[in-house]
Amino acid sequence: MARHAPDRFAAIHVGSEQIGVQIVEYNTLDDVKIVEQSYRQVMLSEETFKTGRVSFAAVSEICELLKGYRRLLNEYGVRDYRLVATTAIREAQNQPYIIDQIKVKSGFNVEVVDMPQEIFYKYVSLVKTVNERGLMNQEEGMLFVDISSGGLGFTLYKDGGLTYQQNIHIGALRIKESFDKSQRDSANFHEALSQYISSTIEPVEKEMSQHNIKRLVLSGPETKLLLKMLGKEQGRVTFFSLSEFSDLYKQVRSLNLPQIIKNFGLTENKAEIVLPTIVLYKKIISLTNPEEIVIPSDQFIDGVIIKHIAEKTGHEHNNLIEDQLISLCWEIGKKYYYDPNHAAAVEKWSLLLFDKLARVHGLGERHRRLLKVAAILHDIGKHVNLRRHYFYSYRLIISSDIMGFSEAERHIMANIAFYHSKGTPSDADANFSYLTPGQKVTVSKLSAIIRLADAIDRSHRQKVSQADVVLRGEEMVITVTSSEDMSLEGWTFAEKADFFEDVFGIKAILIRRAG
């Protein structure tokens, strides 16, 4: 039997310091070939951090480059692509005009990802790399730290799941731009810089003190600078020791800018971010005191490609990542002292109803994932205030960096939590009016489902051991098995069923079967 031609996909990344394209052919995630790649150095983030905007001269340069990438995609017959922009365009005040110019001049649609998504795509690639090299041990703690020009992401893997994730707006270039030239030239700059970084990452320091972290995995563009200064060639995975870094740190802190330029063969621009970079790494390493420090060569663009191919081919790596993201959501719940048994019950019955209603709601697997997370976190607002816990659940979900979910998806999940117990979704509510028409329909459907699931465990005592769902015309009969009195659940269910009927046109009926 003849083997079918491989699929092609292109990822284009408009980053802060680099714009690049990578075109791949693939059959599976284990059979990927890079057929073309091109990268161009840019310095967009420095301009954004200084002025809050990307100049139209820079935008024109970006568009010319992207027009070349468009021709490249046409030559290879690539129709499946993603063009993703990160920090520089994300934070530019003139972002809408930049996106419009790129569309008009190059024909590309730009997807601007927020910081948690940026960290997520890098993590997707990093996990694959370290896993393939046998470096991921379920019991031992492994901290992934990504440093970009404007952001710092901490992701802790431990006991087979993600137990902590925190993103901070403090990258090497952003740190540098926080001080003017006279301050950077001051004899007190090193000490002030150390204190500035310490005060910013203090909450992470408290969290890391509770864990034994064996391996530190560093990523981001400044890792190339670090390896150059360490005198190491970058391989697929590069290792260095604490003592090697300590020697470098002692050397750098004793040098002025001209000496750094001369000793390490750097341009003035690169030399200016050496001290912020090295002090930042010093603080990160001191948080964990790891046995081993690892620098994979993975970039953001690699994560975009891996995630795309894993989803398209149903590769197990996608399931691995998704399971880790859900484990992180359970950890978020713990942070707010939720009731894990009730959350698990609401999750279980929500997903059962979602699956049984597939032909009625018309939603996809991604919506199922949003419902799952909303079910896990729907009650976390009780940690703040019991009287309006639905409102505070909404606020906490909106305010949390839930890795792997976009800002738009967080708004959907937060609104599901807002309406999980009562209230009719309405544009009179600012949180609902913010959504697009399509998102409003999605929220209404999923809120109607989670209300019934929450009602089935209204007492928080998990009385139901089994539930069977049958759709009969315009009725949905849920038969639950329980050995306990279900009066509270039955009364609550009947009350919540009205909204479900409004949304789906189906009458929901709860029947108890003695267990």
Side-chain angles (χ1 to χ4, degrees):
M1 183 175 171
R3 186 181 183 186
H4 71 82
D7 293 309
R8 284 184 176 172
F9 174 70
I12 302 169
H13 177 211
V14 181
S16 302
E17 300 177 39
Q18 179 177 268
I19 298 176
V21 60
Q22 195 175 118
I23 300 173
V24 298
E25 290 182 342
Y26 68 91
N27 289 295
T28 70
L29 190 56
D30 302 314
D31 182 14
V32 181
K33 177 186 176 185
I34 298 174
V35 295
E36 187 71 68
Q37 59 182 334
S38 176
Y39 298 95
R40 174 78 65 84
Q41 294 298 120
V42 295
M43 288 303 293
L44 297 180
S45 56
E46 190 162 2
E47 186 177 27
T48 302
F49 296 156
K50 282 181 178 177
T51 68
R53 307 170 68 83
V54 175
S55 69
F56 267 94
V59 173
S60 295
E61 183 183 348
I62 293 169
C63 290
E64 285 303 310
L65 191 58
L66 292 178
K67 282 194 278 187
Y69 290 170
R70 169 65 74 183
R71 290 191 293 271
L72 196 62
L73 265 59
N74 290 338
E75 288 173 13
Y76 281 96
V78 177
R79 294 180 178 82
D80 195 9
Y81 76 88
R82 285 181 69 187
L83 192 162
V84 186
T86 48
T87 307
I89 292 182
R90 179 172 68 233
E91 299 191 15
Q93 296 169 11
N94 59 334
Q95 180 196 120
Y97 312 127
I98 299 170
I99 293 172
D100 176 68
Q101 284 296 298
I102 291 175
K103 174 65 176 176
V104 170
K105 293 182 177 179
S106 72
F108 282 120
N109 293 309
V110 181
E111 177 187 351
V112 181
V113 298
D114 58 17
M115 189 177 176
Q117 284 291 86
E118 182 180 353
I119 299 295
F120 167 68
Y121 282 112
K122 292 176 184 177
Y123 181 75
V124 167
S125 185
L126 291 167
V127 167
K128 185 173 184 294
T129 296
V130 298
N131 207 16
E132 287 174 347
R133 282 154 181 77
L135 300 178
M136 292 189 81
N137 183 297
Q138 289 207 349
E139 287 75 36
E140 296 166 341
M142 177 182 292
L143 182 64
F144 294 83
V145 179
D146 182 77
I147 305 175
S148 62
S149 59
L152 174 60
F154 294 90
T155 307
L156 179 60
Y157 172 88
K158 190 177 180 183
D159 299 325
L162 295 182
T163 60
Y164 179 78
Q165 213 281 318
Q166 182 66 57
N167 303 314
I168 305 171
H169 286 284
I170 177 176
L173 189 56
R174 195 190 298 273
I175 293 171
K176 175 208 156 191
E177 294 302 326
S178 299
F179 300 89
D180 61 35
K181 193 173 189 311
S182 64
Q183 291 170 334
R184 296 198 300 269
D185 290 340
S186 166
N188 301 318
F189 179 52
H190 177 270
E191 182 58 33
L193 182 62
S194 296
Q195 293 175 12
Y196 172 79
I197 294 172
S198 292
S199 63
T200 306
I201 67 173
E202 183 181 2
V204 181
E205 183 175 6
K206 290 180 179 177
E207 177 68 28
M208 291 303 109
S209 66
Q210 303 174 41
H211 303 282
N212 179 26
I213 297 168
K214 178 179 180 180
R215 191 170 285 118
L216 177 63
V217 181
L218 300 176
S219 61
E222 305 315 331
T223 56
K224 293 181 181 178
L225 175 62
L226 176 60
L227 290 175
K228 178 181 174 67
M229 296 174 70
L230 286 167
K232 291 181 176 289
E233 291 289 329
Q234 180 161 39
R236 190 70 187 90
V237 175
T238 310
F239 299 84
F240 66 93
S241 65
L242 287 175
S243 61
E244 287 177 297
F245 178 81
S246 181
D247 290 343
L248 175 64
Y249 178 76
K250 290 174 185 175
Q251 181 185 3
V252 167
R253 65 175 298 177
S254 66
L255 301 176
N256 58 30
L257 187 64
Q259 290 170 328
I260 290 174
I261 293 172
K262 180 180 178 182
N263 285 22
F264 298 106
L266 301 174
T267 64
E268 184 173 348
N269 270 346
K270 274 294 180 188
E272 283 183 333
I273 65 169
V274 163
L275 191 58
T277 299
I278 294 298
V279 173
L280 185 54
Y281 279 131
K282 171 70 172 175
K283 290 297 179 184
I284 291 166
I285 289 170
S286 68
L287 294 181
T288 58
N289 196 31
E291 295 178 21
E292 194 169 62
I293 305 172
V294 187
I295 296 183
S297 61
D298 301 72
Q299 300 182 69
F300 172 83
I301 202 168
D302 299 314
V304 173
I305 289 171
I306 289 169
K307 180 64 174 161
H308 177 86
I309 296 174
E311 286 181 344
K312 284 283 188 179
T313 62
H315 193 275
E316 61 182 12
H317 185 66
N318 193 54
N319 294 331
L320 172 70
I321 293 295
E322 294 291 342
D323 288 346
Q324 290 187 9
L325 297 181
I326 295 301
S327 71
L328 181 60
C329 293
W330 288 105
E331 291 297 326
I332 293 172
K334 288 180 187 177
K335 183 167 71 172
Y336 297 113
Y337 300 97
Y338 73 150
D339 179 346
N341 294 327
H342 175 65
V346 174
E347 176 205 19
K348 179 180 179 179
W349 305 132
S350 292
L351 298 183
L352 174 65
L353 293 173
F354 182 93
D355 294 342
K356 294 294 184 180
L357 289 164
R359 64 179 176 83
V360 177
H361 59 57
L363 301 175
E365 186 61 31
R366 190 63 184 175
H367 298 107
R368 188 180 191 272
R369 184 73 56 170
L370 300 182
L371 177 62
K372 183 183 183 77
V373 175
I376 294 169
L377 301 178
H378 75 280
D379 266 353
I380 60 175
K382 288 182 177 180
H383 179 62
V384 180
N385 190 307
L386 290 174
R387 284 181 291 114
R388 298 181 66 215
H389 77 277
Y390 57 91
F391 171 78
Y392 292 103
S393 291
Y394 168 87
R395 294 304 311 165
L396 290 174
I397 292 172
I398 283 292
S399 304
S400 298
D401 283 348
I402 306 178
M403 195 168 75
F405 295 92
S406 67
E407 183 179 357
E409 289 176 327
R410 287 203 306 278
H411 276 278
I412 290 173
M413 294 186 293
N415 270 278
I416 295 168
F418 187 90
Y419 294 113
H420 83 269
S421 59
K422 63 180 181 179
T424 301
S426 164
D427 282 338
D429 298 327
N431 51 282
F432 191 75
S433 64
Y434 174 86
L435 304 175
T436 66
Q439 291 169 345
K440 289 174 182 177
V441 174
T442 297
V443 166
S444 296
K445 289 178 177 179
L446 298 181
S447 297
I449 290 172
I450 200 174
R451 280 190 189 187
L452 297 186
D454 188 51
I456 291 172
D457 192 47
R458 180 63 185 87
S459 64
H460 289 225
R461 290 172 54 181
Q462 295 78 59
K463 298 175 184 176
V464 175
S465 59
Q466 183 181 336
D468 298 310
V469 181
V470 178
L471 280 172
R472 296 172 181 161
E474 295 181 355
E475 286 187 346
M476 178 178 69
V477 179
I478 305 173
T479 305
V480 297
T481 302
S482 177
S483 59
E484 299 184 52
D485 178 78
M486 292 283 293
S487 297
L488 176 61
E489 284 72 21
W491 297 334
T492 307
F493 187 94
E495 180 187 343
K496 307 303 182 188
D498 289 343
F499 179 60
F500 182 87
E501 188 170 358
D502 288 342
V503 173
F504 291 108
I506 294 173
K507 185 174 182 61
I509 300 168
L510 183 69
I511 298 174
R512 173 185 172 270
R513 180 172 55 210

